[in-house]
mmCIF file of all heavy atoms in Angstrom:
data_model
loop_
_atom_site.group_PDB
_atom_site.id
_atom_site.type_symbol
_atom_site.label_atom_id
_atom_site.label_comp_id
_atom_site.label_asym_id
_atom_site.label_seq_id
_atom_site.Cartn_x
_atom_site.Cartn_y
_atom_site.Cartn_z
ATOM 1 N N PRO A 439 125.274 -35.217 42.343
ATOM 2 C CA PRO A 439 125.292 -35.114 40.922
ATOM 3 C C PRO A 439 124.559 -34.016 40.348
ATOM 4 O O PRO A 439 123.592 -33.329 41.008
ATOM 5 C CB PRO A 439 124.625 -36.430 40.525
ATOM 6 C CG PRO A 439 123.758 -36.741 41.732
ATOM 7 C CD PRO A 439 124.442 -36.131 42.777
ATOM 8 N N ASN A 440 124.718 -33.630 38.979
ATOM 9 C CA ASN A 440 123.912 -32.617 38.512
ATOM 10 C C ASN A 440 122.638 -33.121 37.592
ATOM 11 O O ASN A 440 121.790 -32.366 37.180
ATOM 12 C CB ASN A 440 124.770 -31.890 37.425
ATOM 13 C CG ASN A 440 125.799 -30.969 38.160
ATOM 14 O OD1 ASN A 440 125.463 -30.400 39.191
ATOM 15 N ND2 ASN A 440 126.908 -30.827 37.564
ATOM 16 N N SER A 441 122.639 -34.505 37.430
ATOM 17 C CA SER A 441 121.516 -35.117 36.812
ATOM 18 C C SER A 441 121.368 -36.599 37.331
ATOM 19 O O SER A 441 122.468 -37.153 37.749
ATOM 20 C CB SER A 441 121.478 -35.024 35.300
ATOM 21 O OG SER A 441 122.753 -35.580 34.745
ATOM 22 N N VAL A 442 120.131 -37.186 37.258
ATOM 23 C CA VAL A 442 119.963 -38.469 37.720
ATOM 24 C C VAL A 442 119.216 -39.207 36.564
ATOM 25 O O VAL A 442 118.268 -38.699 35.986
ATOM 26 C CB VAL A 442 119.124 -38.527 38.896
ATOM 27 C CG1 VAL A 442 119.017 -40.039 39.357
ATOM 28 C CG2 VAL A 442 119.738 -37.747 39.983
ATOM 29 N N LEU A 443 119.681 -40.366 36.266
ATOM 30 C CA LEU A 443 119.187 -41.174 35.156
ATOM 31 C C LEU A 443 118.765 -42.484 35.588
ATOM 32 O O LEU A 443 119.427 -43.139 36.438
ATOM 33 C CB LEU A 443 120.356 -41.575 34.207
ATOM 34 C CG LEU A 443 121.008 -40.478 33.203
ATOM 35 C CD1 LEU A 443 121.491 -39.350 33.891
ATOM 36 C CD2 LEU A 443 122.062 -41.152 32.473
ATOM 37 N N LEU A 444 117.566 -42.919 35.108
ATOM 38 C CA LEU A 444 116.986 -44.176 35.398
ATOM 39 C C LEU A 444 116.804 -45.024 34.128
ATOM 40 O O LEU A 444 116.172 -44.626 33.215
ATOM 41 C CB LEU A 444 115.594 -44.075 36.105
ATOM 42 C CG LEU A 444 114.736 -45.251 36.397
ATOM 43 C CD1 LEU A 444 115.399 -46.244 37.409
ATOM 44 C CD2 LEU A 444 113.420 -44.917 36.907
ATOM 45 N N GLY A 445 117.456 -46.274 34.182
ATOM 46 C CA GLY A 445 117.354 -46.966 32.866
ATOM 47 C C GLY A 445 117.182 -48.527 33.187
ATOM 48 O O GLY A 445 117.447 -48.934 34.328
ATOM 49 N N GLY A 446 116.724 -49.205 32.196
ATOM 50 C CA GLY A 446 116.566 -50.673 32.308
ATOM 51 C C GLY A 446 115.160 -51.073 32.377
ATOM 52 O O GLY A 446 114.260 -50.278 32.590
ATOM 53 N N GLY A 447 114.925 -52.393 32.056
ATOM 54 C CA GLY A 447 113.453 -52.963 31.868
ATOM 55 C C GLY A 447 112.566 -52.440 33.004
ATOM 56 O O GLY A 447 111.376 -52.228 32.865
ATOM 57 N N VAL A 448 113.063 -52.510 34.256
ATOM 58 C CA VAL A 448 112.243 -52.278 35.448
ATOM 59 C C VAL A 448 111.936 -50.758 35.494
ATOM 60 O O VAL A 448 110.974 -50.450 36.160
ATOM 61 C CB VAL A 448 112.940 -52.695 36.780
ATOM 62 C CG1 VAL A 448 112.117 -52.533 37.994
ATOM 63 C CG2 VAL A 448 113.418 -54.144 36.757
ATOM 64 N N SER A 449 112.590 -49.894 34.842
ATOM 65 C CA SER A 449 112.288 -48.499 34.882
ATOM 66 C C SER A 449 110.935 -48.317 34.126
ATOM 67 O O SER A 449 110.500 -47.130 34.102
ATOM 68 C CB SER A 449 113.384 -47.677 34.298
ATOM 69 O OG SER A 449 113.409 -47.822 32.816
ATOM 70 N N ALA A 450 110.308 -49.269 33.474
ATOM 71 C CA ALA A 450 109.083 -49.068 32.890
ATOM 72 C C ALA A 450 107.957 -49.006 34.093
ATOM 73 O O ALA A 450 106.832 -48.591 33.844
ATOM 74 C CB ALA A 450 108.647 -50.266 31.980
ATOM 75 N N ASN A 451 108.319 -49.383 35.238
ATOM 76 C CA ASN A 451 107.463 -49.579 36.341
ATOM 77 C C ASN A 451 106.906 -48.102 36.795
ATOM 78 O O ASN A 451 107.722 -47.265 37.256
ATOM 79 C CB ASN A 451 108.151 -50.149 37.547
ATOM 80 C CG ASN A 451 107.186 -50.419 38.667
ATOM 81 O OD1 ASN A 451 106.714 -49.638 39.465
ATOM 82 N ND2 ASN A 451 106.760 -51.738 38.782
ATOM 83 N N PRO A 452 105.647 -47.820 36.592
ATOM 84 C CA PRO A 452 105.106 -46.582 36.931
ATOM 85 C C PRO A 452 105.267 -45.985 38.444
ATOM 86 O O PRO A 452 105.644 -44.878 38.732
ATOM 87 C CB PRO A 452 103.740 -46.475 36.633
ATOM 88 C CG PRO A 452 103.286 -47.921 36.340
ATOM 89 C CD PRO A 452 104.625 -48.800 36.250
ATOM 90 N N ARG A 453 105.185 -46.988 39.399
ATOM 91 C CA ARG A 453 105.338 -46.598 40.807
ATOM 92 C C ARG A 453 106.850 -46.254 41.050
ATOM 93 O O ARG A 453 107.112 -45.269 41.670
ATOM 94 C CB ARG A 453 104.876 -47.849 41.619
ATOM 95 C CG ARG A 453 105.144 -47.614 43.101
ATOM 96 C CD ARG A 453 103.992 -46.941 43.834
ATOM 97 N NE ARG A 453 104.116 -46.613 45.180
ATOM 98 C CZ ARG A 453 103.798 -45.619 45.814
ATOM 99 N NH1 ARG A 453 103.135 -44.686 45.160
ATOM 100 N NH2 ARG A 453 104.025 -45.553 47.199
#
Side-chain angles (χ1 to χ4, degrees):
N440 287 324
S441 54
V442 182
L443 286 55
L444 171 67
V448 183
S449 78
N451 190 284
R453 178 86 182 143

